[in-house]
Amino acid sequence: MIERVIILENVDPVVFYGVNNSNIQLLKALYPKLRFVARGHVLKVIGDENESAQFEEVIRKLEKYCEEFNVMNEEVIIDIVKGDQPVETKPDNLIIHGVNGKPISARTPNQQKLVNLFFENDLLFALGPAGSGKTYVAIALAVKALKSRQVKKIILSRPAVEAGEKLGFLPGEMKDKLDPYLQPLYDALQDMIPAAKLKELMETNVIQIAPLAYMRGRTLNDAVIILDEAQNTTTHQIKMFLTRLGLSSKMIITGDMTQIDLPASVTSGLVQATKILKNVDGIGSVEFTKKDIVRHKLVQRIVEAYDKFDAQRKKERENIITQ
């Protein structure tokens, strides 16, 4: 009889063990000669050396499956214990599996173009209207790169620019004041990584979410770095951010040129950067359109209505000038 300690490094124990430890109970039924206890990321097994070695091999296969699909159930466990490969149909254009095994895929041609360019370039611009999925796909690509160990961390940032509410009027400490600006990034991550695992990754700084001002002076190596809402950066801010790119890293800049919240006298750094860097090797660009909007069908109609309104106002101003 020997004791074997198995460390589950790459999965959320809550998902792996199942509701009320149902998956552990099933494994105990399948391996009645072994005694084992699961606590957190540690699984202690006592029993015959050969059988416990076989058990660890099964656990590693289950861990790999759970890491990829973010789900574990009775059918998968039985298939792997029997030596069969669980049957999983992967949707077209799949990026990763999110929480509870939800497939996260590129849903439009431009989203797929962003996926393809990510593997061909170290710096990407993803530009387009609200709801086109540019930020969501960018974060999915970052999570995929982290899971496949292409990078060691994910860094997500946004400029803290007010859209009608001043920072000083928001309650709490600085972190509390900044969190509302970063909430869309949290929302996307919560769709893709189980809660306990996400908390662990953030506490160990494997995933970092920070306002743009906190990027100054850093060199970001072995990371996927995403700057969201980049239309609200100044020319100096975006230059500072772009030059943070370190070795073995990739950077994605997302923004919507029609939603600039900067004062009228301030030039958007995103507008300037896309012009300056247009023909630089190693930099890719995807321009999303209203056809890429994947939120509620009303969002596309709202965007179209505002575009029509803005075009009419522009025409009226031009008529006044020419009169």
Side-chain angles (χ1 to χ4, degrees), residues 189-205:
L189 287 170
Q190 286 165 357
D191 264 6
M192 299 174 197
I193 303 174
K197 185 65 178 176
L198 178 58
K199 182 180 179 183
E200 176 191 330
L201 292 173
M202 295 187 72
E203 286 176 348
T204 56
N205 284 327

Side-chain angles (χ1 to χ4, degrees), residues 158-164 166 212 229-238 256-272:
R158 267 187 160 202
V161 175
E162 298 91 344
K166 297 294 183 183
L212 180 59
E229 299 289 347
Q231 76 276 1
N232 287 328
T233 59
T234 65
T235 56
H236 295 296
Q237 285 174 330
I238 200 164
D256 178 0
M257 303 291 202
T258 67
Q259 293 191 345
I260 298 173
D261 298 315
L262 296 168
S265 59
V266 178
T267 301
S268 167
L270 181 61
V271 173
Q272 185 188 71

Side-chain angles (χ1 to χ4, degrees), residues 169-208:
F169 295 145
L170 294 174
E173 301 297 326
M174 182 56 72
K175 181 183 182 300
D176 301 316
K177 292 175 185 289
L178 292 168
D179 272 354
Y181 295 96
L182 306 174
Q183 191 59 47
L185 307 180
Y186 290 113
D187 292 343
L189 287 170
Q190 286 165 357
D191 264 6
M192 299 174 197
I193 303 174
K197 185 65 178 176
L198 178 58
K199 182 180 179 183
E200 176 191 330
L201 292 173
M202 295 187 72
E203 286 176 348
T204 56
N205 284 327
V206 173
I207 295 179
Q208 303 171 28

Side-chain angles (χ1 to χ4, degrees), residues 106-169:
R107 296 171 60 183
T108 70
N110 277 327
Q111 288 187 5
Q112 185 58 44
K113 183 179 179 183
L114 179 60
V115 173
N116 296 340
L117 287 176
F118 177 77
F119 297 106
E120 298 169 5
N121 300 274
D122 289 337
L123 175 59
L124 277 175
F125 288 97
L127 314 174
S132 54
K134 53 191 183 295
T135 300
Y136 197 79
V137 171
I139 293 176
L141 288 167
V143 172
K144 179 182 178 72
L146 183 67
K147 279 189 164 189
S148 60
R149 295 167 181 77
Q150 295 173 7
V151 297
K152 295 179 181 178
K153 58 193 172 205
I154 297 172
I155 299 168
L156 309 173
S157 187
R158 267 187 160 202
V161 175
E162 298 91 344
E165 201 170 14
K166 297 294 183 183
L167 274 173
F169 295 145

Side-chain angles (χ1 to χ4, degrees), residues 207-269:
I207 295 179
Q208 303 171 28
I209 302 181
L212 180 59
Y214 288 25
M215 294 296 108
R216 188 173 297 279
R218 301 181 65 183
T219 300
L220 307 174
N221 297 320
D222 298 304
V224 176
I225 311 133
I226 298 173
L227 175 60
D228 191 33
E229 299 289 347
Q231 76 276 1
N232 287 328
T233 59
T234 65
T235 56
H236 295 296
Q237 285 174 330
I238 200 164
K239 182 181 177 183
M240 176 274 292
F241 187 84
L242 291 170
T243 54
R244 301 306 95 200
L245 185 65
L247 299 174
S248 303
S249 290
K250 287 180 177 283
M251 185 176 281
I252 306 176
I253 313 295
T254 72
D256 178 0
M257 303 291 202
T258 67
Q259 293 191 345
I260 298 173
D261 298 315
L262 296 168
S265 59
V266 178
T267 301
S268 167

Side-chain angles (χ1 to χ4, degrees), residues 7-136:
I7 308 296
L8 303 171
E9 296 180 347
N10 304 313
V11 294
D12 182 346
V14 175
V15 177
F16 190 83
Y17 298 151
V19 178
N20 296 322
N21 286 333
S22 58
N23 294 336
I24 292 296
Q25 298 307 320
L26 175 59
L27 286 167
K28 285 182 176 180
L30 293 170
Y31 290 90
K33 295 180 181 179
L34 296 177
R35 289 189 295 131
F36 48 89
V37 177
R39 294 188 185 281
H41 289 277
V42 179
L43 193 58
K44 290 185 179 179
V45 185
I46 300 174
D48 174 75
E49 183 174 359
N50 291 332
E51 189 168 5
S52 61
Q54 182 190 17
F55 177 78
E56 181 174 4
E57 186 179 335
V58 167
I59 291 296
R60 291 305 178 198
K61 290 179 180 178
L62 291 171
E63 181 185 23
K64 183 177 179 181
Y65 181 95
C66 188
E67 182 184 9
E68 180 176 355
F69 295 100
N70 279 327
V71 69
M72 183 61 61
N73 55 47
E74 180 178 318
E75 291 79 8
V76 170
I77 293 170
I78 292 173
D79 282 345
I80 289 178
V81 169
K82 287 165 56 180
D84 297 334
Q85 183 65 32
V87 177
E88 285 288 344
T89 56
K90 294 188 178 182
D92 292 339
N93 302 328
L94 176 73
I95 303 172
I96 56 168
H97 284 87
V99 173
N100 297 323
K102 170 190 171 185
I104 296 173
S105 307
R107 296 171 60 183
T108 70
N110 277 327
Q111 288 187 5
Q112 185 58 44
K113 183 179 179 183
L114 179 60
V115 173
N116 296 340
L117 287 176
F118 177 77
F119 297 106
E120 298 169 5
N121 300 274
D122 289 337
L123 175 59
L124 277 175
F125 288 97
L127 314 174
S132 54
K134 53 191 183 295
T135 300
Y136 197 79

Side-chain angles (χ1 to χ4, degrees), residues 299-315:
V299 174
Q300 183 171 345
R301 297 175 193 168
I302 290 167
V303 171
E304 288 172 347
Y306 270 90
D307 285 349
K308 185 177 179 181
F309 175 75
D310 290 340
Q312 182 63 33
R313 289 193 63 185
K314 182 180 179 182
K315 185 176 179 181

